[in-house]
Short mmCIF file of all heavy atoms in Angstrom, two decimals:
data_model
loop_
_atom_site.label_atom_id
_atom_site.label_comp_id
_atom_site.label_asym_id
_atom_site.label_seq_id
_atom_site.Cartn_x
_atom_site.Cartn_y
_atom_site.Cartn_z
N TYR X 314 48.86 271.17 -24.23
CA TYR X 314 50.18 271.61 -24.68
C TYR X 314 50.17 272.09 -26.13
O TYR X 314 50.99 272.95 -26.49
CB TYR X 314 51.19 270.49 -24.48
CG TYR X 314 51.60 270.32 -23.05
CD1 TYR X 314 51.21 269.22 -22.29
CD2 TYR X 314 52.38 271.29 -22.41
CE1 TYR X 314 51.57 269.08 -20.95
CE2 TYR X 314 52.74 271.17 -21.07
CZ TYR X 314 52.33 270.06 -20.35
OH TYR X 314 52.68 269.96 -19.02
N ASP X 331 62.04 274.78 -34.70
CA ASP X 331 62.78 275.23 -33.52
C ASP X 331 61.92 275.09 -32.27
O ASP X 331 62.40 274.71 -31.21
CB ASP X 331 63.22 276.69 -33.69
CG ASP X 331 64.28 276.83 -34.78
OD1 ASP X 331 64.93 275.81 -35.07
OD2 ASP X 331 64.44 277.92 -35.32
N ILE X 332 60.65 275.43 -32.40
CA ILE X 332 59.75 275.33 -31.26
C ILE X 332 59.62 273.87 -30.84
O ILE X 332 59.74 273.53 -29.65
CB ILE X 332 58.36 275.90 -31.61
CG1 ILE X 332 58.48 277.40 -31.90
CG2 ILE X 332 57.36 275.65 -30.48
CD1 ILE X 332 57.20 278.03 -32.39
N LEU X 333 59.40 272.99 -31.82
CA LEU X 333 59.18 271.58 -31.49
C LEU X 333 60.42 270.95 -30.87
O LEU X 333 60.32 270.14 -29.96
CB LEU X 333 58.79 270.82 -32.76
CG LEU X 333 58.33 269.37 -32.56
CD1 LEU X 333 57.06 269.32 -31.74
CD2 LEU X 333 58.15 268.67 -33.89
N ALA X 334 61.59 271.36 -31.34
CA ALA X 334 62.81 270.69 -30.90
C ALA X 334 63.33 271.22 -29.58
O ALA X 334 63.95 270.47 -28.82
CB ALA X 334 63.88 270.84 -31.99
N THR X 335 63.14 272.48 -29.26
CA THR X 335 63.85 273.07 -28.12
C THR X 335 62.96 273.55 -27.00
O THR X 335 63.43 273.71 -25.87
CB THR X 335 64.71 274.25 -28.60
OG1 THR X 335 63.86 275.27 -29.16
CG2 THR X 335 65.70 273.80 -29.67
N ALA X 336 61.71 273.82 -27.26
CA ALA X 336 60.87 274.43 -26.22
C ALA X 336 60.63 273.47 -25.08
O ALA X 336 60.43 272.27 -25.26
CB ALA X 336 59.55 274.90 -26.82
N ALA X 337 60.64 274.02 -23.87
CA ALA X 337 60.35 273.22 -22.68
C ALA X 337 58.92 272.72 -22.68
O ALA X 337 58.60 271.74 -21.99
CB ALA X 337 60.61 274.05 -21.43
N ILE X 338 58.07 273.37 -23.47
CA ILE X 338 56.65 272.96 -23.56
C ILE X 338 56.57 271.49 -23.97
O ILE X 338 55.88 270.68 -23.33
CB ILE X 338 55.89 273.84 -24.56
CG1 ILE X 338 55.85 275.28 -24.07
CG2 ILE X 338 54.48 273.29 -24.81
CD1 ILE X 338 55.33 276.25 -25.11
N ASN X 339 57.29 271.16 -25.04
CA ASN X 339 57.20 269.80 -25.57
C ASN X 339 57.90 268.79 -24.67
O ASN X 339 57.47 267.65 -24.55
CB ASN X 339 57.78 269.78 -26.98
CG ASN X 339 56.99 270.64 -27.93
OD1 ASN X 339 55.93 270.27 -28.38
ND2 ASN X 339 57.51 271.83 -28.20
N ALA X 340 58.97 269.21 -24.03
CA ALA X 340 59.65 268.32 -23.10
C ALA X 340 58.76 267.98 -21.92
O ALA X 340 58.71 266.84 -21.46
CB ALA X 340 60.95 268.96 -22.62
N GLN X 341 58.02 268.99 -21.44
CA GLN X 341 57.11 268.75 -20.32
C GLN X 341 55.97 267.82 -20.75
O GLN X 341 55.53 266.96 -19.96
CB GLN X 341 56.54 270.07 -19.81
CG GLN X 341 55.71 269.94 -18.54
CD GLN X 341 56.52 269.40 -17.37
OE1 GLN X 341 57.59 269.92 -17.05
NE2 GLN X 341 56.03 268.34 -16.74
N MET X 342 55.49 267.96 -21.98
CA MET X 342 54.46 267.07 -22.48
C MET X 342 54.97 265.63 -22.53
O MET X 342 54.25 264.68 -22.17
CB MET X 342 54.00 267.49 -23.89
CG MET X 342 52.90 266.60 -24.46
SD MET X 342 52.37 267.06 -26.13
CE MET X 342 53.83 266.63 -27.08
N VAL X 343 56.22 265.45 -22.96
CA VAL X 343 56.82 264.13 -22.99
C VAL X 343 56.83 263.51 -21.59
O VAL X 343 56.50 262.33 -21.40
CB VAL X 343 58.25 264.18 -23.57
CG1 VAL X 343 58.96 262.85 -23.37
CG2 VAL X 343 58.21 264.54 -25.06
N MET X 344 57.21 264.30 -20.60
CA MET X 344 57.24 263.81 -19.22
C MET X 344 55.86 263.42 -18.73
O MET X 344 55.67 262.36 -18.13
CB MET X 344 57.85 264.87 -18.30
CG MET X 344 59.33 265.13 -18.53
SD MET X 344 60.01 266.34 -17.37
CE MET X 344 59.83 265.46 -15.81
N LEU X 356 63.83 265.34 -16.85
CA LEU X 356 63.67 266.50 -17.72
C LEU X 356 64.69 266.44 -18.87
O LEU X 356 64.35 266.72 -20.02
CB LEU X 356 63.85 267.80 -16.94
CG LEU X 356 63.76 269.09 -17.76
CD1 LEU X 356 62.42 269.17 -18.49
CD2 LEU X 356 63.99 270.32 -16.88
N ALA X 359 63.54 263.84 -21.32
CA ALA X 359 62.37 264.32 -22.04
C ALA X 359 62.77 265.32 -23.12
O ALA X 359 62.22 265.32 -24.23
CB ALA X 359 61.38 264.96 -21.08
N GLN X 360 63.73 266.19 -22.82
CA GLN X 360 64.22 267.14 -23.82
C GLN X 360 64.88 266.41 -24.98
O GLN X 360 64.73 266.79 -26.14
CB GLN X 360 65.19 268.12 -23.16
CG GLN X 360 64.52 269.12 -22.23
CD GLN X 360 65.53 269.97 -21.47
OE1 GLN X 360 66.68 269.57 -21.29
NE2 GLN X 360 65.08 271.13 -21.01
N ALA X 363 62.07 264.92 -27.09
CA ALA X 363 61.42 265.97 -27.88
C ALA X 363 62.32 266.38 -29.04
O ALA X 363 61.84 266.58 -30.17
CB ALA X 363 61.10 267.16 -27.00
#
Side-chain angles (χ1 to χ4, degrees):
Y314 284 109
D331 292 339
I332 296 174
L333 188 64
T335 62
I338 295 170
N339 297 282
Q341 187 61 52
M342 181 181 69
V343 170
M344 291 183 65
L356 178 57
Q360 289 173 337

